[in-house]
Amino acid sequence: MTDADVGLRHRKRAAAMARIQAVALDLFDERGYEAVTVEQIAEASDVSPSSVYRYFGSKEQIVLLGEFEFDVSDSRLDDAAGGSPVDVTRQVLRAVMDHLVGDDEERTRRQMRHVMSDPALEAALARQVYAASETLGEVFAARLARPADDLEVQVLAHVVVGALLGGLHHWHGTGFAGPLRDVLDRCLDLLERGLQVGAPITRPTAPAEP
Amino acid sequence: MTDADVGLRHRKRAAAMARIQAVALDLFDERGYEAVTVEQIAEASDVSPSSVYRYFGSKEQIVLLGEFEFDVSDSRLDDAAGGSPVDVTRQVLRAVMDHLVGDDEERTRRQMRHVMSDPALEAALARQVYAASETLGEVFAARLARPADDLEVQVLAHVVVGALLGGLHHWHGTGFAGPLRDVLDRCLDLLERGLQVGAPITRPTAPAEP
DNA sequence: CCTTCATTTGAGAGTCACTGTCAGACGAGG
DNA sequence: CCTCGTCTGACAGTGACTCTCAAATGAAGG
């Protein structure tokens, strides 16, 4: 094994993966996710179908690879030591967003459009998000010195991720208005401020609106 | 068409579906979800594979059909008029639980064991739960007289469902200890009481965040 | 430059979930 | 008992995904 990043082999692989994702996204925009076969993607990307599966594992991961995952060992998590769970989440979020948006904001919207309209993609994303909740739960549990299965820890982790998912849904529902990062930040603000989750429904300030 | 429930045709169909689900669950327990093919389920249930797909649409739905869905038109929703979102959720939860547990508590555990250990099932459940969040969001939006895409509404709905999902995870992680209904009720209690979501994490190290 | 070695690639065959079609079976209703 | 409408099973096909294996190719040393 060479130094792990600077081999012709490694670079070719990375280039092929990027090419496949770009080509696939174009084809999906053109004809829709379901209507495009992996074989067609492979041919248009000058690789064999075998390689596509070797690289991505599944058709969904061509779209989702790397999205909405986070690295527990990210150094920024250490910076949040002593902070609240939401602080920790904000750090995690920053790491996720750098991956997500750092690359290309428009690209994320194109991905989301397909994710939200295809059942298979939606399911794959939902699973990925659920897995992220579990990881976040482990982080919280470690910080709070509680067992990972602790009810409060699990509820907390899933609630935080749920809030972000709500934001994602809002972002999609409003035609992807504004930067995703801001929307998600606002979601965490809402959580911190405390949702009026137990308050009787009397709508505080909302003016009548159809 | 007859009165919709009391025809031989309808009864036969219902019986076949119940038989398929029971047979399938036995086979899954025996050999694992993935190792059992739909064709084998069909043969063991004395129906054709075509019928299995006609009844359930997909292999996953043999396990998941009806679980973790709720009926927006459930009469109990009206009883919660004027209550808080959590009250509404509690009513919804009661309706869901009556479906879920009303039938057979042990059966739910068997289902969950497979759901949690198979990626395809986990994804299907995650998607179903996500869809439930959307439905709940619509209910909340209507109650609060806000647009369905409203950020707070979406965050609220997804947070509530997230809390329940956290409870489900806890339930699974603790070997399905105690009635699921109680666990989920406690999750909603935690939400109402307000999670210490913004509170600094109690650690020996001194906090240094504003 | 050339050889050797370790990986990676592409090709092909096979499995299985799922879809669409259609003729025959079988309740429903008279 | 007979017609009519619906449901069922059989069949053929598609596409995602897996496995295996021989050929290609980058890495490393002479």
Side-chain angles (χ1 to χ4, degrees), chain B residues 9 13 46-51 54-55:
Chain B
R9 218 155 208 167
R13 178 192 172 97
D46 279 306
V47 293
S48 70
S50 309
S51 290
R54 229 194 312 281
Y55 294 156

Side-chain angles (χ1 to χ4, degrees), chain A residues 25-70:
Chain A
L25 205 47
D26 284 343
L27 289 174
F28 294 157
D29 283 346
E30 206 175 298
R31 280 181 266 162
Y33 175 80
E34 201 188 318
V36 179
T37 71
V38 172
E39 204 177 333
Q40 292 166 343
I41 297 171
E43 192 182 345
S45 309
D46 279 309
V47 293
S48 70
S50 309
S51 291
V52 175
Y53 283 108
R54 230 193 312 281
Y55 293 155
F56 297 99
S58 72
K59 187 182 175 186
E60 294 104 48
Q61 289 302 311
I62 299 175
V63 177
L64 295 178
L65 187 77
E67 310 289 308
F68 310 103
E69 290 168 355
F70 65 91

Side-chain angles (χ1 to χ4, degrees), chain B residues 22-40:
Chain B
V23 165
L25 206 48
D26 284 343
L27 289 175
F28 293 156
D29 283 344
E30 206 175 296
R31 281 181 265 164
Y33 175 80
E34 202 188 317
V36 179
T37 70
V38 172
E39 204 178 334
Q40 292 166 344

Side-chain angles (χ1 to χ4, degrees), chain B residues 69-87:
Chain B
E69 289 168 355
F70 65 92
D71 189 2
V72 200
S73 64
D74 191 289
S75 62
R76 272 170 288 200
L77 278 181
D78 298 330
D79 300 341
S84 74
V86 166
D87 284 339

